Amino acid sequence: MGTLFSRCVSPLLFLLFIASFASIAYSKGQSAYPTTAEEATAYFEGQVDEWLSGPVDYIILDDERNQWDTLETTAQRRAFINWFWARRDVDLRDSKNPFKLNFYERVATANQRFRGFPRGWKSDQGLVWVLSLIHISEPTRPRLISYAVVCLKK
């Protein structure tokens, strides 16, 4: 009887104990991710010094990352972030940046849809969701939209 308890029941109780802590950690961490485009923009753009560790890490180019690494002050990083989004803006005459808005909408939607571990935009599904349908407009063919094929590297 003692061996049956130690071999079957004891590991089961241990797993239930661990699972109870995982659900508590899951529910507490889930509320930290923004679920609207406005919240996502404010959250990630507000953390200037940690901006690159957010979802923008998915779309930044290597030369831009190298430039970011040379920046020393928060003001320089803020100017870089403005430049980063401005160079992706299709129409500089408009105050809104559709690329930036679409990006943060997709981040917020990923946070709503994918609630496992890892959560939201950090999950594999969130990565694909954020990167899907980010389009590149070609100036020679303004009415057509071509979609970027993204190669993921480890």
Side-chain angles (χ1 to χ4, degrees), residues 30-44:
Q30 194 61 35
S31 63
Y33 287 100
T35 55
T36 67
E38 295 78 20
E39 289 175 0
T41 303
Y43 180 79
F44 293 109

Side-chain angles (χ1 to χ4, degrees), residues 98-151:
F99 184 89
K100 179 180 176 181
L101 293 173
N102 183 34
F103 177 77
Y104 281 119
E105 283 173 7
R106 299 192 76 71
V107 168
T109 304
N111 291 339
Q112 293 169 2
R113 297 181 100 182
F114 309 113
R115 297 188 169 266
F117 276 122
R119 297 175 297 284
W121 64 270
K122 289 186 176 183
S123 67
D124 292 340
Q125 299 96 334
L127 167 67
V128 172
W129 182 262
V130 169
L131 292 180
S132 66
L133 298 178
I134 293 178
H135 67 273
I136 302 170
S137 59
E138 302 173 32
T140 57
R141 298 162 58 187
R143 295 196 184 266
L144 299 176
I145 296 175
S146 61
Y147 290 90
V149 176
V150 178
C151 298

Side-chain angles (χ1 to χ4, degrees), residues 78-96:
R78 171 64 63 200
F80 177 88
I81 292 169
N82 292 335
W83 170 81
F84 175 86
W85 290 118
R87 74 184 291 203
R88 287 162 173 78
D89 192 0
V90 238
D91 185 7
L92 295 175
R93 295 173 293 175
D94 186 9
S95 64
K96 294 180 181 178

